[in-house]
């Protein structure tokens, strides 16, 4: 399910389109995206020098049969030192289990690389200060390259800054600084992300505006209304209804949710 969600997000589908395709509420889709700041997790690829699940199973069977570590290493085509370290870090000969060893390896591989802002408090404070005066991440990166050209510790990419802002679970940058960005978006969007041409209405039986009667288009008949919703401070809401011919305006105060 999550793989399909991220595939669609990478392709540029909106949250509403993804929610309908997966049969999940938009809020649930947003929660998954927000946990990663809108950045799709990198697809996991096992390195060639890492033991596979099948090799770990062969090690487990060899240990049960009483074979030596060296003979097990020969049977799977690995150095004896590799097998020795694998067994030692997973409980030794008596407690080694292939499934537990594989799960442990996957958990260790899943650990994200620490952010440059996490390892460098000075850089983090400078980035926060510049974001607070509404500098964009691109401007901050340019400033760092100019003013700290000889210090590699004062370097970070603009994507790294966006990731730190959007991934609030890292708690590297105050959440309110998200509103200082030009887009004010809580999560990072794919460049391909667009709602153009996508059906977004949640109204059952909604009719497209192209089916509006000609009398409404020509403004020759009373009774054809256009509605809008105005959202104000503290989530106050007012609905407006305007007759297309007479321009008579009706305002309706709505209860705050």
């Amino acid at each position: 399910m999550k793989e399909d969600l991220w595939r669609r997000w990478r392709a540029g589908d909106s949250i509403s389109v993804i929610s309908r395709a997966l049969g999940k509420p938009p809020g649930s889709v947003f929660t998954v995206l927000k946990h990663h700041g809108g950045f799709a997790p990198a697809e996991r690829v096992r390195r060639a020098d890492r033991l596979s699940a099948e090799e770990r199973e062969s090690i487990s069977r060899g240990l049960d049969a009483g074979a030596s570590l060296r003979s097990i290493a020969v049977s799977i085509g690995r150095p004896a030192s590799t097998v020795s370290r694998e067994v030692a870090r997973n409980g030794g000969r008596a407690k080694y289990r292939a499934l537990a060893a594989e799960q442990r390896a996957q958990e260790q591989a899943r650990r994200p690389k620490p952010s440059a802002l996490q390892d460098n408090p000075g850089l983090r404070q400078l980035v926060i200060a510049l974001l607070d005066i509404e500098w964009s991440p691109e401007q901050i990166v340019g400033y760092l390259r100019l003013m700290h050209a000889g210090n590699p510790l004062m370097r970070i990419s603009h994507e790294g800054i966006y990731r730190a802002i959007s991934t609030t679970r890292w708690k590297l940058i105050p959440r309110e600084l998200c509103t200082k960005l030009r887009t004010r978006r809580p999560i990072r969007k794919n460049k391909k992300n667009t709602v153009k041409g996508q059906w977004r209405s949640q109204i059952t039986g909604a009719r497209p505006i192209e089916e509006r009667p000609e009398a409404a288009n020509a403004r020759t008949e009373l009774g054809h209304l256009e509605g809008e919703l105005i959202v104000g401070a503290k989530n106050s809401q007012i609905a407006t209804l305007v007759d297309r011919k007479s321009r008579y305006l009706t305002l309706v105060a709505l209860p705050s949710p």
Side-chain angles (χ1 to χ4, degrees):
M1 181 74 72
K2 286 187 178 180
E3 290 78 6
D4 192 19
L5 185 156
W6 286 113
R7 179 184 61 79
R8 293 176 179 277
W9 183 250
R10 291 190 193 97
D13 286 355
S14 67
I15 291 176
S16 58
V17 169
I18 295 174
S19 69
R20 284 192 293 273
L22 302 183
K24 297 292 184 180
S28 298
V29 175
F30 178 80
T31 298
V32 175
L33 297 175
K34 187 68 177 69
H35 185 70
H36 297 274
F39 292 85
E43 297 182 7
R44 298 178 59 197
V45 179
R46 188 188 297 268
R47 284 171 47 181
D49 61 341
R50 298 297 184 186
L51 291 171
S52 66
E54 292 76 15
E55 288 174 322
R56 290 190 167 94
E57 186 61 38
S58 296
I59 292 174
S60 182
R61 288 197 300 266
L63 293 174
D64 288 342
S68 67
L69 298 181
R70 187 173 297 277
S71 63
I72 294 174
V74 171
S75 68
I76 63 175
R78 293 284 188 172
S81 59
T82 299
V83 176
S84 177
R85 288 193 298 270
E86 168 70 13
V87 174
R89 73 167 66 99
N90 290 285
R93 295 184 65 101
K95 296 182 178 180
Y96 185 87
R97 297 293 183 271
L99 179 59
E102 176 68 13
Q103 290 176 341
R104 182 173 183 270
Q106 289 182 358
E107 287 299 323
Q108 290 179 329
R110 194 176 288 120
R111 294 174 182 171
K113 181 180 178 182
S115 167
L117 298 180
Q118 183 177 350
D119 291 341
N120 191 335
L123 175 60
R124 176 172 170 267
Q125 291 303 320
L126 178 56
V127 169
I128 289 176
L130 295 177
L131 286 171
D132 194 43
I133 58 175
E134 300 187 357
W135 281 33
S136 70
E138 289 82 0
Q139 288 175 316
I140 295 173
V141 170
Y143 173 82
L144 293 173
R145 288 175 180 171
L146 179 63
M147 303 303 295
H148 301 274
N151 187 355
L153 296 178
M154 298 296 287
R155 295 290 181 86
I156 188 173
S157 68
H158 67 275
E159 285 297 318
I161 298 176
Y162 278 117
R163 186 183 295 270
I165 296 171
S166 301
T167 312
T168 53
R169 61 190 171 91
W170 289 353
K171 298 181 180 179
L172 295 176
I173 293 179
R175 180 176 301 182
E176 57 269 18
L177 290 185
C178 175
T179 61
K180 301 284 186 175
L181 297 176
R182 311 287 167 78
T183 62
R184 300 180 181 272
R185 294 189 185 120
I187 60 176
R188 187 77 164 136
K189 284 193 173 184
N190 190 305
K191 289 183 179 179
K192 299 178 182 178
N193 192 287
T194 178
V195 296
K196 183 177 181 181
Q198 297 180 0
W199 180 80
R200 304 182 67 201
S201 175
Q202 301 296 315
I203 302 175
T204 303
R207 296 173 59 188
I209 196 171
E210 289 79 8
E211 296 183 9
R212 186 166 59 185
E214 182 57 34
N217 289 328
R219 304 179 190 274
T220 59
E221 185 178 277
L222 293 172
H224 298 286
L225 307 178
E226 287 186 343
E228 294 289 347
L229 178 65
I230 301 175
V231 179
K234 299 181 180 180
N235 209 19
S236 58
Q237 299 178 0
I238 295 179
T240 66
L241 296 172
V242 180
D243 186 277
R244 285 185 59 80
K245 180 180 180 181
S246 67
R247 298 311 219 184
Y248 183 81
L249 170 64
T250 302
L251 299 178
V252 181
L254 303 177
S256 298

